[in-house]
Amino acid sequence: MTQATGKRGDAQHTLDVVLVNYRTGALAVACLETLAAQRGPDIRLRAFVVDNASPDDSANVIEKAIASKGWDWARLIRSPVNGGFGAGNNLGFAAVLEEDDPAETIWLLNPDTRVMPGAVAALVRFMAQVPAAGIVGTALLNGDGQPWPYAFRFPGVLGELERGLRWRPASVMLARHAIPRLMGAQPERVDWVSGASFAVRTAMVQEGLRFDEGFFLYYEEVDFCRMARNQGWQCWYLPQAVVLHIVGQSTGVPAGNAGVRRMPAYWFDSRQRYFVKNHGKAYALAADVAWMGAHALFMMKQALRRQKRNDPHRLLSDFARHSALLLRPGQRLESA
């Protein structure tokens, strides 16, 4: 692997962290505690917690913890509305850029994460060494501590076909198109990384890149990574920085959708927005047909084998109802 490198000597690294909170105040405080443990003379670290109009006492819990622990490096930003993940992070970007000395890197973390020892140092060191890296995702651990070493390819028709079939021979044949990528022990360039731990070079934000707030939740990080690539920035996966992620605490959708009674409408809407915006309606429809046809075959296979499916309820019918085929005139899913 060839890397562009830059020397910083003994200069201090800087990192601004943005957490978007919704109804997970105690978890956000616990995440801040893991960040506090990694602050030091060589790393100036600040945190901006955006509360997305939580209907519970989350904002007060966070604000009181910041005050009681004397965390002058952290502050709470109260959003008047819950505009979604991307909108919350855009508020965090704005807060960082309002500072006289914004950090070199902005690390977007879910509040239900715990930063493992050494992760901050590994992240800022990598960003300093690879100036072409606009986005860097870290290795993740599941809530039970087991590794979740994945990054991703951009979704496409063949990737949707592989995802819907869930049939090993097809997965082998379509391996180059499968959306998830099992990662190794070395940094690698990838298409996109999980939004749970998502570092952004501040220069990219200063150039005007923001999350598309038409996405309420899901696919916004995929779209952001595509916009960054279109502007000439690279996306990397960095296994040397590790973050534990307790999945689904804000959304109610756990890892792998296990135990979900029904997928929320905004998941389907975000998926459609991504495909139509980046590829046009015809391609979005082809991706829909690929997944629906493949999933129907999967359902038949499971029925013939009398094997139970662990899918959300009404998955296929909900998918069809939100398909690009049924987009209404004027619906806000414009092609780019």
Side-chain angles (χ1 to χ4, degrees):
M1 178 185 69
T2 301
Q3 297 181 359
T5 60
K7 295 182 178 179
R8 292 186 52 86
D10 296 327
Q12 182 187 56
H13 292 293
T14 58
L15 180 68
D16 287 337
V17 180
V18 173
L19 280 76
V20 176
N21 176 75
Y22 184 70
R23 303 187 308 179
T24 54
L27 290 173
V29 172
C31 179
L32 290 173
E33 288 175 340
T34 65
L35 288 168
Q38 298 195 44
R39 298 180 72 243
D42 296 330
I43 300 173
R44 191 208 70 195
L45 185 150
R46 297 181 298 206
F48 303 80
V49 184
V50 179
D51 184 75
N52 250 354
S54 297
D56 61 6
D57 200 39
S58 285
N60 291 331
V61 167
I62 296 166
E63 195 166 53
K64 289 176 182 177
I66 290 173
S68 66
K69 295 176 183 291
W71 287 341
D72 58 356
W73 50 273
R75 71 181 178 96
L76 177 72
I77 300 163
R78 295 176 184 256
S79 174
V81 296
N82 179 13
F85 179 80
N89 279 307
N90 284 345
L91 285 176
F93 286 156
V96 169
L97 296 186
E98 286 172 0
E99 297 288 329
D100 293 334
D101 53 349
E104 302 153 316
T105 302
I106 306 172
W107 194 7
L108 311 181
L109 282 174
N110 275 17
D112 55 356
T113 57
R114 305 286 184 276
V115 179
M116 297 292 102
V120 168
L123 181 60
V124 296
R125 185 167 56 246
F126 183 84
M127 294 297 279
Q129 291 172 345
V130 188
I135 297 168
V136 175
T138 69
L140 294 174
L141 304 176
N142 289 323
D144 60 3
Q146 293 300 306
W148 192 83
Y150 290 95
F152 304 93
R153 298 178 181 90
F154 288 127
V157 170
L158 293 179
E160 293 296 281
L161 181 68
E162 189 276 336
R163 188 170 70 90
L165 280 171
R166 283 185 270 180
W167 184 43
R168 182 171 178 78
S171 293
V172 172
M173 288 188 294
L174 297 171
R176 293 177 58 189
H177 303 279
I179 297 169
R181 282 185 57 183
L182 181 63
M183 305 305 293
Q186 297 300 318
E188 290 187 59
R189 283 188 62 181
V190 296
D191 285 347
W192 64 279
V193 291
S194 170
S197 177
F198 191 93
V200 175
R201 191 173 297 278
T202 305
M204 195 166 65
V205 180
Q206 290 171 324
E207 291 173 0
L209 191 62
R210 297 292 186 276
F211 283 94
D212 179 350
E213 296 184 15
F215 295 92
F216 179 73
L217 191 61
Y218 296 107
Y219 283 87
E220 64 278 277
E221 74 266 50
V222 193
D223 181 69
F224 189 91
C225 289
R226 182 173 284 276
M227 289 191 293
R229 189 183 71 169
N230 290 344
Q231 294 183 12
W233 292 97
Q234 298 174 358
C235 181
W236 286 77
Y237 172 82
L238 179 65
Q240 285 71 31
V242 182
V243 170
L244 184 143
H245 183 209
I246 309 169
V247 184
Q249 297 304 300
S250 295
T251 65
V253 180
N257 305 329
V260 179
R261 289 190 57 81
R262 199 168 179 180
M263 290 294 286
Y266 53 74
W267 184 90
F268 299 100
D269 291 341
S270 291
R271 180 188 172 280
Q272 280 306 318
R273 182 175 184 85
Y274 172 79
F275 274 109
V276 174
K277 173 185 175 181
N278 292 290
H279 299 290
K281 184 175 177 179
Y283 190 94
L285 180 57
D288 287 354
V289 170
W291 185 89
M292 288 188 290
H295 187 70
L297 290 174
F298 167 75
M299 293 171 65
M300 292 173 58
K301 175 172 65 74
Q302 295 298 93
L304 289 172
R305 294 179 176 179
R306 298 183 179 180
Q307 293 178 340
K308 182 180 179 181
R309 302 192 314 273
N310 191 29
D311 290 329
H313 290 191
R314 303 182 186 178
L315 179 59
L316 184 57
S317 61
D318 282 346
F319 197 102
R321 186 161 56 88
H322 290 268
S323 168
L325 181 65
L326 301 179
L327 289 181
R328 301 178 298 279
Q331 188 170 349
R332 192 172 55 158
L333 290 173
E334 304 88 352
S335 299

